[in-house]
Amino acid sequence: MVSKNQIKLISTLHQKKQRQTHQLFIAEGVKGIQELLHAHFELEHLYTTASDFETVSFNKKTVVTEADLKKMSALATPNSCLAVFKIPEEKLMNTSGLIVALDTIRDPGNLGTILRLCDWFGIEQLVCSKETVDLYNPKVVQATMGSIARVNVSYVDLKDFLTTTSLPIFGTFLNGENIYNTILPEEGIIVLGNEANGISTEVEKIITNRLTIPRFGILQKTESLNVATATAIVLSEFRRGSL
């Protein structure tokens, strides 16, 4: 049986400050939790409405009611299980290969989807500005569908990071070189900007290669692409060139 204090603690983990204080985060759903367990994330405790997760020891698992799970969940419609994991120590940044850098991405769903795309296209390092939404936000963790376990994520001063790299720096803009006509390297940094404002002015000054995903609609009225959608197209083009 889960106690009121446990429910209270878990519900506070919806907040970044409390996650940092306790060094804990929550994951929801069978697939996401299994992925984290397989990746050897340290489990604090598992709460489930069913008699599943047989590999989890008895003292790390509690069967709860759907009502109690709803009190702990960050989702409007909770899954059948929720797990609390310890936030792992940050790994050293990989500064070679193809890197994705995010300039103030605010939407948790976008960050989670971008992380999944990095996993799909074999991007080992994702770099986030310090203003980007927290990796361990429950909605980010949910959206990654387990990819959080396979992509290294680092939060940095993005301007400082970009000014010290020797890799070519690419950015997505409305007025750049057509990505479909561009010879793209196997190594480099791809910068993607904020949902509303795009790449910030100070970061834009550092970018050496401006790319555009052209519009094909007759009316040319669409102002922009969703940042996660743009990430999928850009990564696909970069990887296509390396085949």
Side-chain angles (χ1 to χ4, degrees):
M1 182 175 177
V2 61
S3 70
K4 290 183 178 179
N5 284 338
Q6 286 174 308
I7 293 174
K8 183 178 179 180
L9 170 63
I10 293 163
S11 63
T12 67
L13 298 178
H14 300 180
Q15 304 166 31
K16 180 179 179 180
K17 181 180 179 181
Q18 295 300 325
R19 291 193 295 273
Q20 291 176 333
T21 298
H22 297 286
Q23 286 297 290
L24 298 171
F25 74 98
I26 62 175
E28 302 191 56
V30 174
K31 177 176 172 52
I33 292 171
Q34 285 179 337
E35 292 278 6
L36 291 170
L37 291 172
H38 291 159
H40 305 295
F41 275 64
E42 187 174 351
L43 177 68
E44 182 77 6
H45 207 85
L46 172 69
Y47 302 89
T48 176
T49 59
S51 298
D52 49 12
F53 291 95
E54 295 178 359
T55 59
V56 176
S57 63
F58 177 78
N59 64 330
K60 290 276 188 178
K61 180 170 61 175
T62 299
V63 176
V64 298
T65 65
E66 290 183 5
D68 282 338
L69 191 66
K70 188 171 184 177
K71 294 175 185 176
M72 296 184 279
S73 176
L75 304 175
T77 305
N79 279 284
S80 62
C81 50
L82 177 151
V84 179
F85 287 93
K86 292 187 178 180
I87 294 177
E89 291 186 10
E90 190 169 322
K91 298 178 182 178
L92 291 175
M93 191 190 308
N94 182 358
T95 55
S96 61
L98 194 59
I99 297 170
V100 171
L102 303 181
D103 184 7
T104 318
I105 298 301
R106 298 292 193 186
D107 184 85
N110 281 336
L111 177 56
T113 301
I114 290 169
L115 205 147
R116 284 186 71 191
L117 288 165
C118 287
D119 188 18
W120 180 269
F121 286 104
I123 307 299
E124 297 179 2
Q125 179 67 57
L126 176 63
V127 175
C128 298
S129 68
K130 292 181 179 180
E131 298 78 20
T132 292
V133 62
D134 180 32
L135 173 65
Y136 296 106
N137 178 303
K139 293 180 181 179
V140 174
V141 176
Q142 178 74 14
T144 71
M145 294 296 290
S147 291
I148 191 174
R150 292 182 291 274
V151 179
N152 191 37
V153 181
S154 302
Y155 283 78
V156 301
D157 183 307
L158 190 57
K159 181 181 177 182
D160 287 350
F161 169 70
L162 294 175
T163 53
T164 57
T165 183
S166 59
L167 294 173
I169 303 171
F170 295 83
T172 52
F173 298 91
L174 292 176
N175 57 341
E177 185 177 357
N178 186 331
I179 191 170
Y180 302 123
N181 297 332
T182 306
I183 298 174
L184 302 170
E186 294 186 18
E187 285 197 317
I189 299 171
I190 304 166
V191 181
L192 295 129
N194 173 264
E195 292 89 344
N197 304 311
I199 295 171
S200 61
T201 302
E202 63 175 12
V203 171
E204 181 179 355
K205 293 175 182 177
I206 307 168
I207 290 171
T208 52
N209 302 273
R210 299 169 68 96
L211 297 175
T212 291
I213 301 168
R215 290 178 290 189
F216 291 91
I218 295 174
L219 297 179
Q220 302 283 295
K221 292 292 186 181
T222 307
E223 290 184 359
S224 63
L225 283 174
N226 169 271
V227 65
T229 302
T231 302
I233 296 169
V234 171
L235 289 181
S236 179
E237 283 302 299
F238 268 87
R239 287 312 195 199
R240 187 170 69 90
S242 66
L243 294 177

